[in-house]
């Protein structure tokens, strides 16, 4: 039994052949088969982003490198800037890798502390940051593990 494409789908239209042996009408644009998957994931990553949070009296360590005083002031006041889905996927992948590596430190009995917090204060300035892990090295010296 032979099945001939009907030409009704994008793929069928590309595969169908007319009576003269030439390809049938080719659709102007055929989306990649997995596009809807990426769109679905992107939507889920971005749909619950908050644009406003409670004001805080400290900066996160990752924000300290921002040279824009206005941006830092808005962050401290609670304004949140949306993060695009691509970057969120990158960070989600990084967090998953972090869990695997911290788990390996724990399994090797080398993990001293998971997510250690560091606080720097000077006058009214307060910076709060965290690392991924404190790890005991081969000479029993504690090392900060920052997994990238």
């Amino acid at each position: 039994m032979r099945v001939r494409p009907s030409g009704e789908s994008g793929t069928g239209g590309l595969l169908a052949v007319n009576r003269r042996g030439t390809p049938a009408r080719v659709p102007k644009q055929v989306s990649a088969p997995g596009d809807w998957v990426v769109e679905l994931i992107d939507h889920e990553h971005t749909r619950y982003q908050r644009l406003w949070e409670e004001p805080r009296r400290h900066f996160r360590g990752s924000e300290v490198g921002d040279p824009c005083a206005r941006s830092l002031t808005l962050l401290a006041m609670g304004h949140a800037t949306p993060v695009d889905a691509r970057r969120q996927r990158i960070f989600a992948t990084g967090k998953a890798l972090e869990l695997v590596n911290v788990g390996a430190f724990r399994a090797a009995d080398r993990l001293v502390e998971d997510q250690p917090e560091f606080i720097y204060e000077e006058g009214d300035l307060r910076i709060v940051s965290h690392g991924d892990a404190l790890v005991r090295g081969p000479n029993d010296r504690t090392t900060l593990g920052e997994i990238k």
Side-chain angles (χ1 to χ4, degrees):
M1 179 164 111
R2 217 173 186 186
V3 177
R4 297 180 73 86
S6 67
E8 294 173 11
S9 69
T11 305
L14 291 172
L15 297 176
V17 175
N18 65 19
R19 289 182 204 158
R20 293 185 211 128
T22 58
R25 180 185 60 80
V26 176
K28 288 183 180 179
Q29 181 180 355
V30 177
S31 62
D35 282 355
W36 69 271
V37 174
V38 174
E39 289 174 13
L40 175 77
I41 292 169
D42 286 357
H43 176 72
E44 289 304 311
H45 274 297
T46 57
R47 76 180 192 165
Y48 293 115
Q49 286 191 68
R50 298 165 76 181
L51 296 179
W52 190 258
E53 297 177 8
E54 288 295 315
R56 52 193 161 110
R57 301 292 303 162
H58 69 275
F59 291 104
R60 292 176 45 213
S62 58
E63 298 164 348
V64 173
D66 190 339
C68 179
R70 182 181 299 166
S71 173
L72 290 171
T73 302
L74 289 171
L75 281 170
M77 291 171 50
H79 180 269
T81 304
V83 178
D84 64 89
R86 180 180 157 276
R87 282 188 180 86
Q88 287 192 32
R89 284 195 309 273
I90 290 169
F91 281 106
T93 301
K95 287 176 184 175
L97 291 173
E98 181 182 318
L99 289 174
V100 169
N101 290 324
V102 168
F105 293 141
R106 185 176 284 116
D109 197 31
R110 293 290 181 168
L111 183 66
V112 175
E113 186 179 345
D114 185 5
Q115 297 284 316
E117 187 174 80
F118 305 98
I119 299 173
Y120 173 82
E121 293 178 301
E122 186 173 312
D124 289 340
L125 176 64
R126 184 168 196 241
I127 300 170
V128 179
S129 190
H130 77 273
D132 296 329
L134 284 179
V135 182
R136 193 175 62 255
N139 56 1
D140 284 339
R141 182 174 169 195
T142 302
T143 304
L144 174 64
E146 188 60 33
I147 300 163
K148 299 291 179 220

